[in-house]
Amino acid sequence: MQSQKPQKIDLNTDYPCPCRRQGRLIPIVLTEAMGCDRCQKIFVVEENGYALEQLATTYPHKPSWRWVGNRWITAQSHLKQSYLPIALGAIVILLLVWLPSALKVPSGANFLIWAMIAVIVAIIPAFIHWLTYRR
């Protein structure tokens, strides 16, 4: 059984495509990039040489992988790892602090403004979460 320790990626070595099992990564001449022969995606090796990053102009957070000798493993983005707990924490604080204080405000125009602000504050983390995880 091969170790799970990431290995340095060699641009002259043949690798399977991390997106599709059938594709092979082929070095692109005169660049430090590799392209898949099936899915036509382009990948570059990160500065440290241990991670392969997909070049994508439409995806805000580029997926990356690490080679462990026989397969690719996903190298998680720091934003994806930390964003969900932060968003959930903001929603919990909103429900536990803001909502009770909004309900104590006398009815009328003030209550409507508090309710609209609470809804907007609840929608913003959901929208950012959607932007982070969309493909």
Side-chain angles (χ1 to χ4, degrees):
M1 185 167 132
Q2 297 242 346
S3 71
Q4 294 291 345
K5 185 177 180 183
Q7 298 178 358
K8 197 158 191 153
I9 299 168
D10 181 18
L11 289 173
N12 298 320
T13 305
D14 187 34
Y15 295 104
C17 178
C19 297
R20 293 185 145 190
R21 299 289 179 221
Q22 312 93 311
R24 304 298 297 172
L25 294 181
I26 301 168
I28 298 174
V29 180
L30 300 175
T31 67
E32 293 185 1
M34 301 175 94
C36 178
D37 62 352
R38 292 279 174 115
C39 66
Q40 306 300 317
K41 293 182 180 172
I42 299 174
F43 304 90
V44 293
V45 178
E46 291 181 357
E47 292 93 30
N48 61 9
Y50 289 95
L52 188 73
E53 183 178 78
Q54 179 184 340
L55 289 181
T57 57
T58 59
Y59 194 58
H61 307 286
K62 300 174 187 173
S64 62
W65 298 268
R66 298 189 189 282
W67 181 251
V68 291
N70 61 346
R71 64 185 175 90
W72 295 103
I73 59 169
T74 304
Q76 295 293 330
S77 162
H78 296 295
L79 179 63
K80 284 186 178 182
Q81 290 176 348
S82 64
Y83 179 73
L84 186 60
I86 291 171
L88 291 176
I91 291 172
V92 167
I93 288 172
L94 183 72
L95 291 175
L96 295 178
V97 176
W98 198 318
L99 188 61
S101 63
L103 292 175
K104 290 180 183 177
V105 172
S107 62
N110 285 342
F111 178 76
L112 185 60
I113 291 172
W114 274 89
M116 286 177 23
I117 291 173
V119 168
I120 289 171
V121 170
I123 288 174
I124 288 173
F127 181 69
I128 294 173
H129 179 74
W130 175 76
L131 285 176
T132 304
Y133 287 97
R134 73 184 173 115
R135 289 213 168 223

